[in-house]
């Protein structure tokens, strides 16, 4: 009998892609500041940056998203997950419509083993039909039908209530042991 | 008690947007042909067009998708559905990555009452967590967790096995009576 694989949906920004790392580098350079990841613990960048909400204007430039670093170990762990799970990428791209194409190209370059049919751009992730959602935002778990797995990011270190993974090695521990 | 609304996901091409109508006009003009909608009954355009698969090259031009006609009655019926259901748009945009932005802009122009959070670009619609999916492609229903509703298009007139609606008035009959 063909047993249906369980399905894992994976967020992109700050889970597969080091979005905030690049944002911080660009911000520090352009605003002559020296905010570190440690400064962001439990906080949003907009509350720490000199320019406030303006700091997110970087996302309006598709080129910004095109060359983000890949999160350590994410490629090999996701490749291994595919043997035992059905893996989808679920990115909340609707917040920044200009980002669609750049996000898609980035995924195709760094994760060519994830077929386009398994990439989803959405807003509210309650629309995702999966057993697990690995995400750095707990608000996406509220109406999600499966189990949310919180991927540690500076802004969420104080949040509780969901299983937490600090990195991709811990994702492997959780799903592949 | 707050009763959760049932959720309807709606396909875009040939359900909300008259994609094939424009494709046919462009093809007939450029290839000096006179294929009608009636000629397409039970067939794919690629099997009837002089240029075969090439006919889908029109989709590679984002401008092509930007000014599609809205399907008759779709705006008012979807607006009415929102009072009783949670409505999402689910478009298989991953087949043509260049189409993301144009599709998004088209939706915002013609269906501004559908929030961006409720727009999904995906490939395999089995990832959609909804109670109903209104779509013109039965292959999207195979693994869909809810009930597929087949929206009549020339290519699907001979397909059986799913409840069928011929137009948006019939969608209203089905969901709002």
């Amino acid at each position: 009998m063909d047993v249906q694989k369980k399905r894992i949906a994976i967020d992109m920004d700050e889970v597969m892609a080091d979005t905030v790392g690049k944002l911080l580098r660009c911000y520090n350079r352009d605003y002559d500041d020296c905010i570190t990841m440690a400064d962001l613990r439990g906080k949003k960048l907009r509350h720490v940056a000199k320019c406030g909400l303006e700091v997110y204007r970087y996302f309006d430039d598709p080129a910004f998203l095109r060359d983000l670093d890949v999160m350590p170990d994410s490629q090999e762990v996701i490749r291994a997950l595919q043997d035992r799970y059905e893996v989808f990428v679920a990115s909340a791209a609707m917040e920044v419509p200009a980002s669609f194409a750049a996000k898609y190209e980035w995924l195709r370059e760094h994760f060519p083993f994830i077929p386009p049919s398994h990439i989803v751009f959405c807003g509210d992730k309650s629309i995702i039909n999966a057993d697990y959602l690995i995400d750095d935002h707990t608000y996406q778990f509220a109406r999600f039908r499966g189990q949310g797995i919180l991927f540690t990011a500076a802004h969420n270190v104080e949040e509780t209530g969901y299983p937490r993974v600090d990195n991709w090695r811990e994702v492997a521990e959780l799903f592949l042991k």
Side-chain angles (χ1 to χ4, degrees), chain A:
Chain A
M1 192 184 126
D2 187 25
V3 177
Q4 182 77 44
K5 283 179 179 173
K6 292 240 183 192
R7 198 178 263 183
I8 301 177
I10 303 172
D11 177 38
M12 195 170 149
D13 291 308
E14 293 194 69
V15 177
M16 297 170 73
D18 185 10
T19 320
V20 170
K22 183 172 176 192
L23 190 57
L24 217 47
R25 283 196 303 279
C26 292
Y27 164 79
N28 283 330
R29 177 196 65 204
D30 296 344
Y31 289 86
D32 193 23
D33 207 345
C34 51
I35 296 174
T36 65
M37 276 290 188
D39 295 328
L40 293 179
R41 287 180 66 84
K43 295 173 188 164
K44 303 274 187 192
L45 180 53
R46 64 173 178 270
H47 297 138
V48 183
K50 294 176 182 177
C51 56
L53 265 176
E54 284 285 301
V55 73
Y56 299 126
R57 295 287 296 273
Y58 288 105
F59 293 147
D60 295 339
D61 174 14
F64 175 89
L65 294 158
R66 189 59 192 83
D67 69 344
L68 298 177
D69 289 338
V70 173
M71 287 294 229
D73 305 317
S74 59
Q75 288 154 313
E76 63 195 270
V77 173
I78 289 174
R79 188 69 200 79
L81 287 173
Q82 286 181 317
D83 292 336
R84 294 177 37 189
Y85 300 86
E86 193 180 11
V87 174
F88 281 75
V89 175
S91 178
M94 293 303 150
E95 291 161 11
V96 188
S99 69
F100 299 143
K103 285 191 163 197
Y104 181 85
E105 287 164 15
W106 185 91
L107 283 169
R108 295 304 294 154
E109 178 183 347
H110 297 289
F111 296 84
F113 47 85
I114 299 176
S117 61
H118 284 55
I119 297 172
V120 186
F121 292 156
C122 59
D124 175 353
K125 292 187 188 172
S126 73
I127 195 63
I128 300 295
N129 178 28
D131 301 288
Y132 304 96
L133 171 61
I134 303 175
D135 207 299
D136 64 309
H137 287 294
T138 55
Y139 66 78
Q140 291 288 10
F141 299 151
R143 296 199 308 156
F144 175 61
R145 71 183 294 260
Q147 173 67 56
I149 308 287
L150 187 60
F151 196 94
T152 296
H155 68 81
N156 70 30
V157 291
E158 285 163 11
E159 299 204 47
T160 56
Y162 295 97
R164 176 187 289 275
V165 286
D166 283 343
N167 51 55
W168 279 94
R169 286 285 130 216
E170 289 193 12
V171 174
E173 278 287 322
L174 187 64
F175 286 102
L176 296 173
K177 285 295 164 186

